[in-house]
Amino acid sequence: MPGSLILFGDSITQASFSECGFGAHLSNVFARRLDVLNRGFSGYNTRWAKTYLNEIFPICQSTTTELVIIFFGANDASLLDQNPRQHVPVNEYGQNLLDICQHVKDRHTNSHILLVAPPPIDHAKRLAFQKQRYKEQATGVLERTNEGAGLYAAKCVEVALAAQYPVLDLWTLMQKEKDWSSFLSDGLHLTAEGNRFVGHALVNIINKTFSNLAVIPDKLNGAFHNSGSSSNFAKFLPWHDEIDEKSYSEYQQLMNGGGHSGGHSGGHSVGHSGGEVEQSEGVERKEDSSSSSSSSSSSSSSSSSSSSSSSTSSTSTSRTVVTPWDAKAGDEGFDYMKLINDYGSQPINDELLARFEKVTQHQPHEWLRRGIFFSHRDLHLILDAHEKGEKFYLYTGRGPSSESLHMGHLIPFRFTKWLQDVFDCPLVIQLTDDEKFLWKDLGLAECHRLAFENAKDIIACGFKPDKTFIFSDLDYYSEMYTTILEIEKRVTFNQVKGIFGFNGSSSIGKVAFPAVQAAPSFSRSFQIPLKGNSNMRCLIPCAIDQDPYFRMTRDVAPRMKLCKATKKKGCYKPALLHSVFFPALQGPNSKMSSSNKNSAIFVTDTKKEIKNKVNKHAFSGGQDTMELQREHGANLIVDTSYQWLRFFLPDDDKLKEIGNAYSTGAMLTGEVKKILIDVLQEITAGHQQARAKVSDDMVHEFMSVRPLNF
Ligand code: TRP
């Protein structure tokens, strides 16, 4: 799908598809490259526009936005005494413009922004229009003046320059034309000629400022949308004269071969699942927050280096799809950098890690150093707070859908335990038994029981008993209910539909659930455990597929109700640390599942089971024969044993040594498997011992509502 260009403004924008309209002109120039959307609202000033920003720029839009043109001021500039309703003081107008730009930036992180200052006012035409419209009642007094509009235009230019947004100053530019009065119909709105002037001025500034969007017309006939036109920017589908027999039949094959509807590689974009995934696609649902990806292919051979996958997903129809309950990858696994781009989170880079080390006096965990926790939101704000001695808390969770946890499940918890040790801070752990009841074929009592069982494995990770509160939603819901309501009031169905892909046949329980997972991000949900701290910062370590919940949470945070303690509106946005998915034993193209005993190593597995599973099922990136392996070495990217060692072997030097030797052929798959087996046996044995020591009393202690020690 082409991306979009959004025109956001007042009546001048609303009418921009009328005769020779500048909107229509842009639509013509960008045909098949960008869809031009008319978001003009007649009569609106910036104050009203700001109020409806959430409706106009929802959290997720189905296409990417490349450019937003913000064109306000004509109504704001109404004179206070003549038209107090539409008038907005000039400084507020400037601030509103900046707020609107910020909102657009937050929602459409990759989009360019262009500001347009209001056009001049023709006094004579304005008064004539008034007379025509109001007859005898006409006051003969101007409700807008050219000088007034000039002040607003100047303010628009001033704030744009200060904040480094490009700006088109129509007020000045138009008045440079001798005939500028012909641009205005009623002294305020644009004539066809005025529209043409604006259309050309916009295309000029777009070409100059955003050269990647520029479209160069066909030299022969001036057309913007044929094979003679050109742009750095991708067009939607080939021009007809580019379609030849070969490309056409290849494309047809692609479409018929399952890349489209019903296949596993449907082209939903990130963050938009195809609605009720389990119904429409017949794909097994993801079991938990940290398990692996799935794909249509299954690689059964454990010694072949090339995947036998016959997946038809490729090129434009295959995109990485991530929603909380269904995570799928393309053939090369997840494109995590693309996720960062699409989600608008930040990569964890060396600079941030250096700061982490400086502030905490701890070497960053190997999962941070190795890019296993690869993305974040606002981690620097948490570090700032910690530096100042300000307290914050950690929040993570698990959906208790099965008794047996596998190694992937432990990752967020082991990492959170490390964070708790480093920051010595309180921690809350949500067990979403309600979520599993809604999504799975399980009874309420069973979900509740599983929450209690899973709590034992979680406690076995070594959390501090006096600083950790574990809760089941079924038990603790009432304490969070006011917060849940505050969230529910501020999120629309359209928003959750956009983020999670709900549709008309989603149960209302599912539709409302995101507010339940969002609530623990606000300290006000923990009156007793966090001792009445109504606005404490929160850091959430989680797998990247949980991010949609917290994008939603971060969106409502500033709009939450007045905070009693600070007397300020809004709550802090939770900060996040995102991990990659844990790869399945059978390799990056298969899926871990609690129901398939051989697809994962469970924390309850015996030494023998571990040895057998790794030897038999761990996908190898090594060559087929020893000779070939010695000559070419292994492909580490798809090799489960090596990839798992990245997770579970803390010693950097040793890991590097193995990687070098294995990829150059000095080491064989069997040797790497042996190392992995030892590592896994040690971790599971340690975990089993720790779990055996967790008594029911201890679980009750961790799960009791009590003030935490901090
Ligand atoms: N929805 C998550 C799951 O299915 C559980 C969860 C709840 C969670 N709150 C969380 C995970 C916070 C990470 C962080 O597993």
Side-chain angles (χ1 to χ4, degrees):
M1 284 284 280
S4 51
L5 188 170
I6 301 179
L7 302 173
F8 184 32
D10 48 35
S11 52
I12 302 177
T13 299
Q14 186 174 289
S16 68
F17 282 70
S18 57
E19 193 193 350
C20 300
F22 69 86
H25 181 58
L26 289 173
S27 189
N28 183 49
V29 169
F30 288 104
R32 286 188 45 188
R33 291 179 168 107
L34 289 176
D35 289 336
V36 179
L37 305 182
N38 186 340
R39 296 289 183 270
F41 299 88
S42 170
Y44 274 46
N45 54 29
T46 52
R47 196 183 285 163
W48 298 334
K50 223 174 94 169
T51 312
Y52 294 109
L53 280 175
N54 280 315
E55 278 67 31
I56 300 161
F57 298 96
I59 299 181
C60 260
Q61 204 168 276
S62 52
T63 62
T64 48
T65 307
E66 300 293 341
L67 174 62
V68 179
I69 297 179
I70 299 168
F71 184 176
F72 280 102
N75 295 317
D76 298 61
S78 303
L79 298 176
L80 173 62
D81 50 349
Q82 295 302 314
N83 182 358
R85 216 176 93 79
Q86 285 177 302
H87 168 81
V88 172
V90 71
N91 284 335
E92 184 192 331
Y93 163 72
Q95 187 55 49
N96 288 347
L97 283 180
L98 288 177
D99 292 347
I100 291 171
C101 291
Q102 189 56 47
H103 182 96
V104 170
K105 259 173 68 177
D106 289 347
R107 292 294 165 81
H108 301 272
T109 38
N110 294 320
S111 175
H112 298 298
I113 291 177
L114 171 63
L115 283 163
V116 181
I121 303 281
D122 182 315
H123 290 184
K125 281 193 173 169
R126 203 72 205 127
L127 289 173
F129 160 77
Q130 194 187 69
K131 197 139 196 185
Q132 189 191 5
R133 174 148 180 199
Y134 298 105
K135 309 269 167 359
E136 282 82 58
Q137 267 100 328
T139 59
V141 182
L142 290 162
E143 48 25 289
R144 289 166 170 85
T145 64
N146 193 33
E147 296 69 42
L151 284 180
Y152 283 72
K155 177 56 78 179
C156 174
V157 173
E158 177 196 317
V159 300
L161 293 181
Q164 300 193 321
Y165 295 114
V167 56
L168 178 67
D169 180 2
L170 279 185
W171 192 82
T172 306
L173 206 63
M174 279 188 164
Q175 290 186 75
K176 283 188 182 156
E177 300 294 312
K178 227 179 39 241
D179 222 11
W180 66 268
S181 151
S182 67
F183 292 158
L184 304 165
S185 56
D186 56 3
L188 171 69
H189 295 97
L190 301 175
T191 56
E193 221 165 305
N195 257 306
R196 217 178 284 131
F197 180 88
V198 174
H200 285 125
L202 283 172
V203 171
N204 263 338
I205 191 170
I206 290 171
N207 287 354
K208 255 204 282 182
T209 324
F210 314 115
S211 52
N212 67 318
L213 297 181
V215 181
I216 319 238
D218 183 341
K219 277 201 194 69
L220 278 180
N221 62 6
F224 286 97
H225 25 66
N226 64 19
S227 52
S229 68
S230 63
S231 169
N232 285 333
F233 201 68
K235 61 180 180 287
F236 187 44
L237 301 188
W239 305 122
H240 74 86
D241 46 6
E242 291 169 347
I243 298 178
D244 57 22
E245 273 302 302
K246 186 165 162 285
S247 66
Y248 184 63
S249 62
E250 268 174 13
Y251 186 74
Q252 265 198 323
Q253 244 173 16
L254 191 74
M255 298 313 284
N256 298 336
H260 210 48
S261 59
H264 289 194
S265 51
H268 310 300
S269 57
V270 170
H272 299 247
S273 93
E276 303 298 86
V277 175
E278 72 271 35
Q279 286 171 16
S280 60
E281 307 218 353
V283 183
E284 203 182 338
R285 284 256 313 278
K286 209 171 78 49
E287 293 291 321
D288 65 274
S289 66
S290 57
S291 82
S292 98
S293 59
S294 74
S295 132
S296 52
S297 59
S298 64
S299 314
S300 50
S301 152
S302 61
S303 58
S304 150
S305 67
S306 65
S307 154
S308 57
S309 145
S310 60
S311 167
T312 48
S313 65
S314 66
T315 65
S316 59
T317 53
S318 163
R319 287 169 80 174
T320 296
V321 177
V322 177
T323 57
W325 39 83
D326 183 78
K328 290 183 271 177
D331 279 354
E332 281 92 48
F334 282 95
D335 184 349
Y336 288 111
M337 284 307 130
K338 183 167 186 314
L339 281 190
I340 287 185
N341 244 324
D342 288 348
Y343 281 6
S345 62
Q346 307 295 317
I348 293 178
N349 54 27
D350 292 345
E351 197 185 326
L352 184 65
L353 291 183
R355 170 111 208 280
F356 187 101
E357 179 149 7
K358 189 166 155 249
V359 171
T360 61
Q361 300 290 313
H362 269 82
Q363 187 194 28
H365 194 281
E366 63 265 19
W367 292 345
L368 286 167
R369 304 197 305 269
R370 294 178 192 170
I372 283 171
F373 277 81
F374 71 106
S375 148
H376 78 99
R377 294 182 193 274
D378 287 352
L379 181 62
H380 53 287
L381 295 184
I382 293 289
L383 294 175
D384 290 348
H386 185 68
E387 210 166 28
K388 283 187 265 176
E390 196 188 303
K391 301 252 188 260
F392 70 93
Y393 71 105
L394 292 164
Y395 158 41
T396 191
R398 166 170 167 79
S401 59
S402 78
E403 203 133 354
S404 43
L405 274 72
H406 56 60
M407 297 299 290
H409 291 134
L410 290 186
I411 287 160
F413 294 111
R414 291 171 69 107
F415 186 68
T416 305
K417 134 112 179 112
W418 178 83
L419 286 171
Q420 186 181 49
D421 289 345
V422 168
F423 291 105
D424 193 31
C425 57
L427 159 68
V428 298
I429 299 176
Q430 179 179 43
L431 298 173
T432 52
D433 36 17
D434 52 348
E435 177 191 16
K436 292 302 151 183
F437 170 70
L438 290 165
W439 262 272
K440 300 234 155 204
D441 189 17
L442 290 170
L444 265 177
E446 177 64 358
C447 293
H448 193 225
R449 184 188 72 81
L450 287 171
F452 196 83
E453 277 308 306
N454 287 179
K456 291 182 188 162
D457 282 295
I458 292 170
I459 292 167
C461 291
F463 295 106
K464 300 182 175 178
D466 60 334
K467 286 183 166 34
T468 307
F469 173 50
I470 305 179
F471 60 99
S472 119
D473 281 344
L474 283 172
D475 294 336
Y476 192 67
Y477 192 91
S478 63
E479 298 293 314
M480 301 191 288
Y481 193 45
T482 58
T483 311
I484 291 170
L485 280 171
E486 296 284 354
I487 297 165
E488 286 174 343
K489 189 168 180 166
R490 289 168 178 81
V491 181
T492 63
F493 178 54
N494 277 339
Q495 287 175 319
V496 286
K497 205 166 73 176
I499 304 172
F500 300 97
F502 296 133
N503 60 33
S505 46
S506 309
S507 76
I508 59 173
K510 286 184 181 179
V511 173
F513 175 76
V516 182
Q517 181 153 334
S521 315
F522 301 119
S523 60
R524 46 170 293 167
S525 296
F526 303 99
Q527 286 303 320
I528 294 173
L530 295 179
K531 303 191 276 211
N533 253 305
S534 52
N535 198 12
M536 206 170 163
R537 282 190 192 276
C538 172
L539 171 63
I540 308 173
C542 62
I544 185 74
D545 63 345
Q546 299 296 305
D547 187 69
Y549 288 114
F550 302 118
R551 251 180 294 153
M552 185 198 91
T553 311
R554 286 169 58 86
D555 189 73
V556 291
R559 292 182 283 127
M560 291 290 280
K561 225 181 101 188
L562 187 95
C563 158
K564 261 194 242 132
T566 58
K567 295 264 188 298
K568 273 200 216 134
K569 188 168 163 25
C571 296
Y572 288 128
K573 294 180 177 186
L576 285 136
L577 270 169
H578 300 123
S579 74
V580 300
F581 299 110
F582 184 63
L585 196 57
Q586 275 88 346
N589 273 331
S590 72
K591 182 176 168 59
M592 266 191 303
S593 139
S594 300
S595 50
N596 178 357
K597 275 262 145 206
N598 284 329
S599 67
I601 302 286
F602 293 89
V603 297
T604 44
D605 281 353
T606 62
K607 291 202 154 140
K608 206 167 142 209
E609 280 170 323
I610 292 173
K611 187 169 169 215
N612 284 341
K613 280 193 201 175
V614 171
N615 279 334
K616 245 171 107 175
H617 300 289
F619 187 80
S620 166
Q623 305 294 332
D624 282 348
T625 65
M626 198 205 287
E627 290 70 40
L628 284 171
Q629 169 65 9
R630 292 281 183 228
E631 196 182 327
H632 300 293
N635 174 357
L636 300 183
I637 303 288
V638 299
D639 189 276
T640 304
S641 307
Y642 177 77
Q643 290 301 325
W644 279 29
L645 286 173
R646 286 184 64 233
F647 283 84
F648 299 119
L649 185 69
D651 186 335
D652 284 338
D653 293 336
K654 209 164 155 198
L655 182 71
K656 207 164 152 202
E657 212 180 288
I658 297 170
N660 282 340
Y662 191 30
S663 62
T664 55
M667 249 175 128
L668 303 177
T669 300
E671 296 168 271
V672 182
K673 285 193 171 180
K674 171 84 182 57
I675 301 174
L676 177 67
I677 290 166
D678 289 344
V679 169
L680 291 178
Q681 286 176 338
E682 194 184 317
I683 294 178
T684 44
H687 184 83
Q688 287 161 15
Q689 263 172 22
R691 193 189 196 274
K693 290 202 192 108
V694 179
S695 63
D696 283 0
D697 281 352
M698 272 166 83
V699 180
H700 285 300
E701 174 62 19
F702 271 96
M703 295 186 76
S704 70
V705 181
R706 67 208 190 277
L708 296 176
N709 176 19
F710 64 95

